[in-house]
Amino acid sequence: MNWKNVLIAGAVALLPISMMAQANILNAKKPEEIGKKTAAQIAADNDAPLPYGYVDDRDILWSKTVWEVIDLDERVNFPLYYPLDTIDIGPDRRSLYDVFMKNIKNGKLTDVYVDSYFTEKRQLSDLEATLKKVDTTDLGYEQINAGEQLSPEYVNERELTAADIEEYRIKGIWYFDKRQGELKYRMLGIAPVAPDVNFVDDESMNPNENKVELFWVWYPSAREILHDAKVFNQRNSAQPISFDMLLNARRFNGLIYREDNIQGDREIDNYIADNALFQLLEADRIKETIRDREQDMWAY
């Protein structure tokens, strides 16, 4: 065994137990013991999201707020979309949308807003009209008109699931920290986007015109929740990463569709209409402008 293999084995041995995909799986005598940590493991578990450092307003030399869209059809963004079928899979693997909805329902995630400016909060009861549709068939209306009690089989219910999510939209700020002397990014919010639940199964609707932002989550307050939810690591299933790590490390492909500007933060397709290529080039131009800003700070 060469020194390289020795160093790799030593580094793996020093990894915290909390990073393992399923705790105690190799020591479990029964399936019920899988995932249950021992008292020693719990005491040694210091797994928490890395806190953001304090940034004084006087240290921000320059900043730019941008909105990006994460298309879930792209392979690099699959970790945010899958798994969809949660019946035959462990409870430790869920899609990002399922993580959001679970914690909204149990009350752990409360900073949910209407739009990306985070001015109006939404409760679970407010989201029901956006996430669920209840429709009565024609036979049901005939029963009602005849004075009869409506039968349950004449009521259609449709609720959005993780499979219906088509993209995520994120809002973040790029800023140059003069104290650290570098360009940094801080995510502020994230929103799942799906077809309008009232027309989700209507094939006559234009898919691009039928997308709705379901809700916006204030990201800093959701970090603890997203840190506990793990993402499947296809390169090494023994070391999953958290949603918080994935998003903060920008391990996804996002396309800028809006920036803060004098025209009320208008979107790119508002001033470049019906030309997808030019919209893409405009998004790349904004991205390059941000990148060049850091370079210009060091140019003399």
Side-chain angles (χ1 to χ4, degrees), residues 203-254:
E203 298 181 355
S204 63
M205 296 292 295
N206 186 347
N208 294 325
E209 298 178 355
N210 194 30
K211 295 180 181 179
V212 177
E213 297 173 353
L214 302 181
F215 52 83
W216 276 88
V217 175
W218 176 250
Y219 184 78
S221 64
R223 291 193 63 209
E224 193 75 35
I225 294 170
L226 296 179
H227 178 77
D228 294 335
K230 304 302 180 182
V231 181
F232 179 74
N233 186 353
Q234 61 181 357
R235 295 186 177 181
N236 187 356
S237 59
Q239 297 182 32
I241 62 175
S242 66
F243 279 109
D244 179 62
M245 183 185 300
L246 182 144
L247 292 170
N248 274 314
R250 293 188 62 85
R251 295 174 62 170
F252 57 82
N253 183 41

Side-chain angles (χ1 to χ4, degrees), residues 172-300:
I173 180 171
W174 288 95
Y175 65 96
F176 189 86
D177 190 336
K178 67 179 182 181
R179 186 178 295 274
Q180 300 293 332
E182 60 181 342
L183 185 69
K184 296 182 179 181
Y185 177 79
R186 182 74 59 87
M187 187 179 295
L188 301 178
I190 182 170
V193 178
D196 190 336
V197 68
N198 298 304
F199 308 100
V200 64
D201 299 319
D202 189 353
E203 298 181 355
S204 63
M205 296 292 295
N206 186 347
N208 294 325
E209 298 178 355
N210 194 30
K211 295 180 181 179
V212 177
E213 297 173 353
L214 302 181
F215 52 83
W216 276 88
V217 175
W218 176 250
Y219 184 78
S221 64
R223 291 193 63 209
E224 193 75 35
I225 294 170
L226 296 179
H227 178 77
D228 294 335
K230 304 302 180 182
V231 181
F232 179 74
N233 186 353
Q234 61 181 357
R235 295 186 177 181
N236 187 356
S237 59
Q239 297 182 32
I241 62 175
S242 66
F243 279 109
D244 179 62
M245 183 185 300
L246 182 144
L247 292 170
N248 274 314
R250 293 188 62 85
R251 295 174 62 170
F252 57 82
N253 183 41
L255 179 67
I256 297 174
Y257 71 93
R258 179 196 288 184
E259 64 170 336
D260 55 346
N261 50 55
I262 196 172
Q263 291 89 0
D265 301 343
R266 64 176 179 174
E267 299 183 7
I268 291 178
D269 58 5
N270 288 338
Y271 60 93
I272 302 179
D274 301 328
N275 196 319
L277 176 60
F278 282 10
Q279 292 173 3
L280 181 61
L281 293 176
E282 176 66 9
D284 288 338
R285 184 195 66 80
I286 297 173
K287 185 195 306 184
E288 291 301 320
T289 301
I290 296 173
R291 289 178 175 177
D292 292 342
R293 178 65 62 171
E294 182 178 26
Q295 181 68 25
D296 294 341
M297 292 294 182
W298 296 102
Y300 296 96

Side-chain angles (χ1 to χ4, degrees), residues 89-147:
I89 201 168
D92 57 327
R93 291 181 57 189
R94 291 292 183 269
S95 68
L96 180 58
Y97 178 75
D98 286 336
V99 173
F100 281 148
M101 291 307 304
K102 174 186 175 181
N103 289 277
I104 290 175
K105 291 178 180 179
N106 62 23
K108 292 183 178 180
L109 183 58
T110 58
D111 290 332
V112 180
Y113 295 83
V114 175
D115 53 32
S116 59
Y117 292 99
F118 311 106
T119 55
E120 182 182 349
K121 271 195 172 185
R122 303 193 74 176
Q123 305 295 331
L124 179 60
S125 57
D126 302 326
L127 297 175
E128 292 180 353
T130 307
L131 305 178
K132 187 176 181 180
K133 177 185 69 173
V134 179
D135 191 17
T136 304
T137 63
D138 293 338
L139 294 177
Y141 284 116
E142 291 180 4
Q143 275 190 325
I144 296 174
N145 295 333

